[in-house]
Amino acid sequence: MTRRETAPRSAPKTDGRALWFEEAGRCTLRREPLPPGCEGEVLVRTLFSGISRGTESLVFGGRVPESEYERMRAPHQSGQFPFPVKYGYAAVGMVEEGPQHLAGRAVFCLYPHQDCFRVPACAVHPLPDALPPHRAVLAANMETALNITWDAGIQPGDRVAVFGAGVVGLLVAYLASHVIGTEVVISDIEPERADTAQALGLRFTSPEAVPDECDVLINASASCEALATALDRAGFEARVVEASWYGERFAEIPLGGAFHAKRLSIVSSQVAALPPGRRARWDPHRRMAKALELLADERLDRLISGETPFETIAADYADIVGSGTTLCHRIRY
């Protein structure tokens, strides 16, 4: 079946199954009715969704601070923090009902883990022809990495260090390495991440071996120790981007030593807002379209560290987010 063919259906779909986090460390599949179809909406049958381990492990463990309950809401989240909550934002599926230009198309949507759903047509993003649906689960991570790269202000020839070889860190380093003349290194305390980094054409090193006098340093590790190393390896007036989210934890920042003498800048990056220099011309829809386009490289399949059928995800979920080897874990529907 091509993407532009209408998928055959034997009967109208009236309900779906979704993954709900019921309490800290426990989830289940719930069956829930689908709202009746309206003009301007699409019905999507999910093919794959991706578990964003960093954020979802905080939600699953009940570690979202009360002050962030509203800012942490996913676009189509149901329930309320801390529990019960239906959470997630990396669904790929086929449009079974909707406007003619979308019917039969493979699309990405910032939707939780659910086997079928209805959303406004403007909430889905058609996949480029060069992007297979199984890789498109990385779209939300690529969108985040693109935003971080913009916030970092990486320029041709810069010496760039990325701390944390998780999915977002690897994607940031991948994007930075495509800026002409850059010297990019990615570091992690887990040496087994070296193979994945090298498969993407990246130079991997331990944190203590990151070179001095870097122009841009990006912490995507959620580690205070990595942030301290970034400050130590920064050159004069270098830019340090904190791209991690620590949840309820406090991060210690060493502002003594040469911090002031080197006139360092520490900036945050968060995908909910576009960088100020982009807002006049970009919006989230354009940014997502570009993120999908940037996933055409088949080497990025290395960022999918495993796959689980939707039918068993409630039983398997805790082990998936609790494993230190998980990058992006794909759910197959």
Side-chain angles (χ1 to χ4, degrees), residues 12-71:
K13 190 70 175 172
T14 59
D15 62 7
R17 289 182 303 161
L19 182 70
W20 280 77
F21 302 153
E22 302 288 357
E23 58 186 24
R26 186 175 70 87
C27 56
T28 189
L29 290 178
R30 290 189 188 182
R31 188 170 293 278
E32 51 190 72
L34 295 176
C38 299
E39 185 176 355
E41 291 187 337
V42 292
L43 173 66
V44 178
R45 185 179 296 274
T46 312
L47 299 173
F48 304 99
S49 64
I51 296 174
S52 186
R53 177 178 171 266
T55 304
E56 290 193 37
S57 64
L58 290 173
V59 175
F60 183 61
R63 299 193 300 275
V64 177
E66 187 173 353
S67 64
E68 302 306 303
Y69 281 0
E70 286 305 311
R71 280 188 287 262

Side-chain angles (χ1 to χ4, degrees), residues 169-224:
L170 286 163
L171 287 172
V172 170
Y174 171 82
L175 293 178
S177 70
H178 284 75
V179 178
I180 192 166
T182 52
E183 301 172 29
V184 179
V185 62
I186 184 166
S187 74
D188 200 285
I189 60 174
E190 302 292 344
E192 59 268 21
R193 296 286 173 91
D195 288 344
T196 304
Q198 290 162 5
L200 299 180
L202 302 172
R203 176 188 167 197
F204 180 90
T205 187
S206 62
E208 57 269 17
V210 171
D212 292 326
E213 300 299 314
C214 290
D215 301 293
V216 180
L217 306 98
I218 298 158
N219 185 27
S221 69
S223 163
C224 300

Side-chain angles (χ1 to χ4, degrees), residues 288-308:
M288 178 58 76
K290 179 56 66 175
L292 290 165
E293 180 184 323
L294 292 169
L295 288 172
D297 189 342
E298 65 182 14
R299 293 181 298 171
L300 295 173
D301 286 335
R302 291 291 299 265
L303 300 183
I304 310 294
S305 57
E307 184 177 271
T308 297

